[in-house]
Amino acid sequence: MATVDSSSLEATQKFADIVGASGLLTGEQIGPDYAHDEALVGAPVTPRYVARPQTAEQVAELLAAATEAKVPVTARGSGTGLSGGARPCADGLLISFERMNAILEIDTDNQVAVVQPGVTLADLDTATAEAGLMYTVFPGELSASVGGNVGTNAGGMRAIKYGVTRHNVLGLQAALPTGELIRTGGRITKLSTGYDLTQLIIGSEGTCALATEVTVRLYPRLAHSATLLAPFTDLPAVMRAVPTVVRSGVDPVILEYVDKLTLAAISYSQSLNLGIPDAVRETAEAYLVIGVENRDRDRLDDDVAMLGELLGSLGAVDVYVLEGNSAHALIEARERAFWTAKAAGAHDVIDVVVPRAVMHQFFTRAQEFAQAAGAGVVGCGHAGDGNVHLAVFCADDDARHRLLHDIFSAAMTLGGAISGEHGLGRVKTQHFLELEDPVKIALMRRIKDAFDPAGILNPGVLL
Ligand SMILES: Cc1cc2nc3c(=O)[nH]c(=O)nc-3n(C[C@H](O)[C@H](O)[C@H](O)COP(=O)(O)OP(=O)(O)OC[C@H]3O[C@@H](n4cnc5c(N)ncnc54)[C@H](O)[C@@H]3O)c2cc1C
């Protein structure tokens, strides 16, 4: 016991020497927010230390000190993750990037922004708007940080057009557990020089290296947009319509599905009035939400007219074109669907991904499994990406584990994966280890060992 105390005192001193006394929190200074992210599963865990570095060098030194003292380290951006990836270890060090939140440069000629990892998406959006540009990774929560996006390979609604974080991060500076700093990629969109370390670090949920600076790709901000809402009388029809909409050439920026129950719940909880007649609302089982954008108003109007006709031919009961405030309100309500599911008592929210053309098959299987387990699954999702978000109502932990095992397994059999964008975190790692090819897992362990030989970075996450 005496050894533990003295070694933890020693580590406290070491960490404080690196970030300064005001940069380190211990004991009662550590507020409840640091103990969890937004995952619905699992209890909060208060870490032994919270360090709030201000420079990349401090992050690297913290990692070297933690490696030497064998203290587990978890990175935290804004803690909005949905898989427990930022939930720390009780005896561990949480590195919070809240004080590394500067936008270092917006380079309009190379169309990139260079930022510290703690920058929030809301702040980056404001800064890029001034330059007529935008960072297009838009998970529903704009308080999320760019570093957290890197950790989870975040996606969000606009991935159908612009891709996920992986496609939008061109370079990193990253701190390794050895205490070294590396630079990968840069303000370049092509690179054919050895292993792509940027891509290895993205989506590794803080288990390989910590991003200390991120170079992100920016796109022009288009002036005109419209949102279409199309009710259908059955969910499989909605899902079967998706590939045709993607193929149509209008290049939707948003292509979401929302089931009847979820639309009713988000409309009620967020006082959303879309003006859908009662008769339509009563027969509609599910809705497609399609966003289109253009630099030119007439071209946008053409796309809207073409989509209206297409949706009608695919079985939509009607098509509502929303603009301005009502379009904004619908998208915002859709982004907040997680909070509605949480308030309704969902026991978990999952984000399985399957090829978009088999989404309806996957959904039917998931419903069958849920019915057999006496559970409920409802939801919405990024339909264009085949990314199905299901709120799972199943109170018993063991029954829920079996149900999720079956659902994940069905998704993988259809050519999909357990998570499309939220990551595995502490919540889904067990399923991953049960279902993934052991040869791939062994290779991932060897990659992890090469980055982090002492195994200090986010133990219990991924592997
Ligand atoms: C209402 C709501 C809606 C959401 N909608 C979406 C959505 O549509 N799409 C989507 O993809 N996600 C969505 N999310 C999840 C979440 O917003 C994203 O996962 C986001 O990327 C997390 O960012 P964060 O800063 O909160 O990261 P955190 O939760 O703090 O961390 C996430 C992971 O990244 C690691 N990490 C943090 N910083 C770094 C760093 N500097 N270097 C390396 N690893 C790091 C952490 O250790 C952890 O494993 C939603 C969440 C909420 C609450």
Side-chain angles (χ1 to χ4, degrees):
M1 197 67 192
T3 331
V4 171
D5 283 344
S6 70
S7 70
S8 101
L9 275 178
E10 220 174 276
T12 305
Q13 189 54 55
K14 197 87 201 227
F15 298 150
D17 286 347
I18 297 166
V19 291
S22 66
L24 187 72
L25 308 175
T26 55
E28 298 198 339
Q29 295 170 314
I30 300 178
D33 272 0
Y34 293 117
H36 66 93
D37 60 8
E38 296 299 344
L40 295 181
V41 179
V45 177
T46 302
R48 187 169 288 164
Y49 328 86
V50 174
R52 299 174 299 159
Q54 289 178 294
T55 65
E57 287 71 22
Q58 288 180 357
V59 178
E61 284 178 45
L62 284 169
L63 291 187
T67 294
E68 197 186 327
K70 299 209 165 23
V71 172
V73 176
T74 298
R76 177 188 165 92
S78 302
T80 70
L82 296 176
S83 296
R87 190 185 305 150
C89 300
D91 56 348
L93 166 68
L94 184 75
I95 297 186
S96 168
F97 284 97
E98 68 203 63
R99 300 207 294 185
M100 288 177 68
N101 60 355
I103 296 171
L104 301 173
E105 190 182 345
I106 294 186
D107 171 349
T108 51
D109 286 343
N110 289 308
Q111 263 180 239
V112 298
V114 183
V115 304
Q116 287 188 313
V119 163
T120 65
L121 300 182
D123 286 349
L124 185 55
D125 194 52
T126 305
T128 52
E130 284 165 18
L133 296 170
M134 71 189 301
Y135 172 57
T136 55
V137 177
F138 239 69
E141 187 54 61
L142 291 189
S143 65
S145 70
V146 173
N149 281 190
V150 169
T152 59
N153 186 25
M157 285 198 202
R158 297 182 187 164
I160 175 70
K161 178 168 179 180
Y162 294 106
V164 298
T165 304
R166 225 175 249 311
H167 308 117
N168 288 282
V169 170
L170 299 176
L172 292 173
Q173 182 194 51
L176 304 179
T178 51
E180 291 155 305
L181 281 169
I182 55 167
R183 282 195 176 274
T184 69
R187 300 175 195 211
I188 44 179
T189 52
K190 287 180 162 180
L191 185 63
S192 183
T193 314
Y195 299 134
D196 193 334
L197 298 175
T198 312
Q199 294 299 333
L200 257 181
I201 294 169
I202 294 171
S204 66
E205 302 190 54
T207 63
C208 288
L210 303 189
T212 49
E213 188 186 291
V214 189
T215 300
V216 297
R217 185 197 283 262
L218 303 176
Y219 283 89
R221 207 171 269 259
L222 302 182
H224 304 283
S225 63
T227 303
L228 289 81
L229 178 68
F232 285 74
T233 51
D234 69 292
L235 188 58
V238 168
M239 295 191 171
R240 278 194 299 265
V242 168
T244 312
V245 173
V246 176
R247 250 195 335 266
S248 69
V250 296
D251 207 8
V253 62
I254 290 174
L255 182 42
E256 300 282 306
Y257 87 90
V258 185
D259 69 16
K260 174 189 193 157
L261 212 62
T262 305
L263 191 72
I266 61 178
S267 300
Y268 176 75
S269 67
Q270 286 161 72
S271 312
L272 186 67
N273 184 358
L274 297 167
I276 304 171
D278 287 349
V280 174
R281 218 159 356 108
E282 276 154 25
T283 53
E285 280 300 317
Y287 298 79
L288 264 190
V289 179
I290 305 176
V292 280
E293 57 179 8
N294 210 297
R295 66 185 168 79
D296 180 273
R297 179 78 229 185
D298 291 343
R299 288 186 192 184
L300 181 79
D301 291 343
D302 284 351
D303 284 347
V304 168
M306 191 271 249
L307 267 177
E309 270 177 40
L310 181 66
L311 290 165
S313 74
L314 292 168
V317 179
D318 207 342
V319 179
Y320 305 96
V321 182
L322 310 174
E323 298 207 26
N325 285 347
S326 49
H328 185 72
L330 172 63
I331 298 304
E332 203 163 83
R334 158 63 192 96
E335 280 169 347
R336 298 190 63 76
F338 166 77
W339 301 115
T340 307
K342 182 177 178 179
H347 300 98
D348 204 348
V349 169
I350 57 172
D351 77 308
V352 165
V353 64
V354 292
R356 68 169 81 94
V358 295
M359 239 185 332
H360 60 285
Q361 269 168 266
F362 166 72
F363 204 80
T364 308
R365 304 266 14 232
Q367 295 280 18
E368 285 165 1
F369 290 133
Q371 250 168 24
V377 290
V378 293
C380 49
H382 309 308
D385 305 322
N387 194 188
V388 181
H389 288 38
L390 294 175
V392 180
F393 294 82
C394 180
D396 181 77
D397 288 346
D398 291 337
R400 195 173 61 249
H401 187 88
R402 283 194 300 276
L403 171 62
L404 293 189
H405 182 97
D406 289 342
I407 290 179
F408 293 148
S409 174
M412 290 171 76
T413 306
L414 287 167
I418 294 172
S419 170
E421 56 183 18
H422 296 165
L424 300 169
R426 298 193 184 284
V427 174
K428 282 169 278 175
T429 287
Q430 191 53 39
H431 291 289
F432 175 67
L433 296 177
E434 286 167 15
L435 290 166
E436 189 48 274
D437 174 0
V439 177
K440 276 165 65 183
I441 290 184
L443 178 58
M444 287 191 195
R445 283 192 200 284
R446 296 200 293 278
I447 293 170
K448 157 85 176 164
D449 285 347
F451 274 94
D452 180 21
I456 58 152
L457 278 181
N458 237 358
V461 171
L462 299 198
L463 298 166

